[in-house]
Amino acid sequence: MDNSFLHSKKILLVDDEPDLLNMVSAILKDDGFQDITAVSTVREGLAAVRCGRPDLAVLDVMLPDGDGFALYRQIRNVSDMPVIFLTARDEASDKLAGLGLGADDYIVKPFMPQEFLLRVYAVLRRCFKDEAPLLKLDACTVDFSRAEVIKDGVTIPLTAKEYALLETLARNGGRIITTDALCEALWGDNPFGYENSLNAHVRRVREKIEADPSRPVSLITVKGLGYKLKTRT
Amino acid sequence: MKSFGKYISRHLLTFASVIIALVILNVLTFGITFYKIIAKDYGEASPQNMLETASEASSADGITEDARHILEANHIWAMYLDIDGNCVWTAGTPAGLPNHYSLQDVALFSRGYLNDYPVFVRNTDDGLLVLGYPKDSYTKLTGNYLSVRTVRTLPVYITAVLAADILLLFALYYVSKRKIMRNTDPIIESIEALSDEKPVHLKLNGDLAEVADSINRASRVLNRQNEARANWISGVSHDIRTPLSMIMGYAAKIEDNIEAGQPIREQAGIIRRQSVRIRELVQDLNLVSQLEYEMQPLHRERVRLSALLRSYVADLLNGGLEDRTSVELLIGPGTEEAVMECDARLITRAVGNLVQNSIHHNPSGCNITLALLQSDGDLTVSVRDNGVGLTLQKQKELAETPHYMESTDERLNLRHGLGLLLVRRITEAHGGSMHIENPPEGGVCVSLTFRQTIRPH
C-alpha cells in the first residue's frame, strides 16, 4: 500500500536516550518522513505538543521527569492525536495500562526498524484514513472515500460489510488476516459462528473486484487461516 | 503430611503406655514393700495360724507347754471359756481381765477388742478358745459384712469401670490428637508451601503464635530473596533492551544499505540475527523468572484455541518464512469451538517457542505441523516437525538433566536455551503437561495437554 501521503505528517519522539532518538529519527527520515521533533523530557514533550501540533507522538514510558503515561494524560488534555508507546518494559500490566489509557499501540524494545515503521504507518493510516488514496487492484480500483469499486469503467458500490472487509485487508497491506480477525472486524466482539457469512461476503466482494471471481488473484484464500489482499504495485 | 499424624499418635500411645506401666510399677513397689510385713503379720503368727496351733494343743483342761511358749514368744495371751462363760484356764493374760464373761461380752469382743486388745476366737467342742494380741498390733473391721448383691455386682462393676477407663483414655487420645492436628495442620501446610517456594501468611493464636511468626518470617525472607532475584533479572533485561534496539536498528540499516559492500551487509545481517536471539533469550529469561516466583499473574480469559493458533500461524507467515520451511495448521474434529481459560499471550509464546525450536534446529528446512486435538476432555496443542529429530543422548538429557535455571549444579551444560523450560513453565501454570516425543517417522513432536475446563458453547 502506498504510504507516501503520510510522509507529511509531523511526528514527535520523546525518549531520554539521545542515541535511540537519533536512530528512530533516522529510520523515519530514511522512509520519507520530513517533520520529526525529538525531545527527551516530559516538559519538552508537552511544549512540543503545544507549539508544533504533531500528528503522532511516540513516547517512552520511563522519562527523567515523569513517566510516559502521565505525559500521555497531559497530551490528551490538549490534543486527541494518536500516541504510540515505546518502552523497555514488557510486563503485561504495562501493556494493558498503556492501551487501557487509549494509546494506539505499544512497541516493546528492542524492535526491528521495519516492525517500527509498519506500526507507525498502521496507526497513521487508521487515524487519517480520510486521506486514503485509491487502492489499485489487479482488475479494478477501490475508492474508499466513496465506498466504490471502479472496474472496466463501471462504478460498483460496496455495502458496509464489503467495505469493512476490503478496508481491513487493505489496511494490513498484503498480510494474512485470519477469518477470526475478519469476523471480529465485521461483526464485533463476539464473532463466533459467522464463518459462513464471511464466506458469502468474500464471494460477493470477489464478484465486484476480480476479473474472474472463480479464479481470484487479488482477494486470496490462505487455506485454514484466512485471506489476504494482493495490491498492484 | 501423614507422617505428622503418625508421629503424634505414636507419642500419645507412648504416653498412655507409660501411664499403664506406672500403675503396674506402683503395684509392684507396694507389693515388695509390704511383703515382709504381710509375710510376718499374715504368716506363722497370724491369728488364723495361732488359733489353729493353740486349738490343737489345748482342751478344757489346759494348754501344752510348747504351745504356751509359742504364744509367749509372740506376746499373745490365751484363755479358755466354757459354755457358761467361765474362764477355765489362762495363759499370759494381762491383769485386769475378768474371770466370767456374759453372752453380750463374748458377742462384743469376738467381733472387736477386749480391753483394747485385739482378740480372736475359735469354737471347740468344750468351749471357746480366746487369743489376745498386743494392743495396736491388729485393727479389726467391726462392720465386716457385704450384701450378697454387692458381692455379685462387684466383678461386673470392676469390669465396667476398667472398660470405661480404657474408653475414656481412648477418647482422650482421640480428642488430643484431633486438637493437636487442628492446630498443627496449618503449620504443616505452610511448611509444605514454603518448600514449594510459595509465599505463606500464617495466622495462629495461643501457644503456637510464635511458631506462626517464625514461619511468616521465613516466608518473608524467602520471598524477598526470590523477588530480589526476579527484579534483578527483570532489571537486567530492561536495561539491555535500549542498547539492543540500537544494535538491531543500525545492523538492519547497514544490511539494507545498498552502498555498503556485500560482505559488510552480510555481516550486519549476522549481527541483526544474533541480536534477535539475544532479545528472545532476554525475554524468555525474564518470563521464566516471573513465572517461577509467581510475580506475573496470568491474565486468564476465555480463548478459542483454534483462533489463537490461526492468528499465530498468520503472524508467522506474515513475518516471512524461508521457503525451505513450511507450516501447516490442523484443527482436529470438535476443536474448532473449543474454549480454554488461559493467558493468550503466554500460550502463543509457548507455541511460538516450539515452532522457533523446530526452525532453529533444522537449518536445512522442515515441515512443521501445528495441531489442536481433543480427547476425553483434554485439549492437546502439538507442534510436530519432520526434521532431524532428537538424538538419543539429547532425549536422555531432556528427560533426566535438570535445566540450569533449576539446579545448583555448576557442571551442567549452560548452553541450553530457555525455550523448552519456558514452554513447560507456561504449560504448568495453566495446569497442563508437556510431552516430548520422537515419532517413528522422524522429527520431533512436542504436545501440550490441558484439561478442558469450559465446554464449547
Side-chain angles (χ1 to χ4, degrees), chain B residues 401-435:
Chain B
T401 322
H403 195 276
Y404 67 80
M405 283 283 286
E406 298 175 318
S407 175
T408 51
D409 190 344
E410 289 171 3
R411 293 163 304 169
L412 287 180
N413 181 4
L414 293 183
R415 276 160 48 224
H416 276 307
L418 284 160
L420 270 182
L421 177 69
L422 184 62
V423 175
R424 207 181 71 216
R425 283 285 156 78
I426 291 173
T427 311
E428 285 168 357
H430 285 86
S433 55
M434 176 178 93
H435 304 282

Side-chain angles (χ1 to χ4, degrees), chain B residues 258-307:
Chain B
I258 39 176
E259 286 165 21
Q262 190 60 25
I264 292 177
R265 288 175 66 183
E266 274 168 18
Q267 286 158 7
I270 294 171
I271 296 175
R272 181 186 53 77
R273 282 194 294 280
Q274 294 303 316
S275 304
V276 170
R277 279 189 68 186
I278 296 178
R279 169 174 75 176
E280 278 156 12
L281 193 66
V282 164
Q283 282 170 348
D284 284 358
L285 181 67
N286 197 23
L287 200 51
V288 165
S289 101
Q290 300 266 319
L291 279 176
E292 177 158 351
Y293 303 122
E294 294 184 359
M295 290 183 66
Q296 168 138 349
L298 297 186
H299 295 284
R300 283 180 192 270
E301 52 192 340
R302 291 163 60 93
V303 174
R304 226 161 57 137
L305 286 182
S306 57

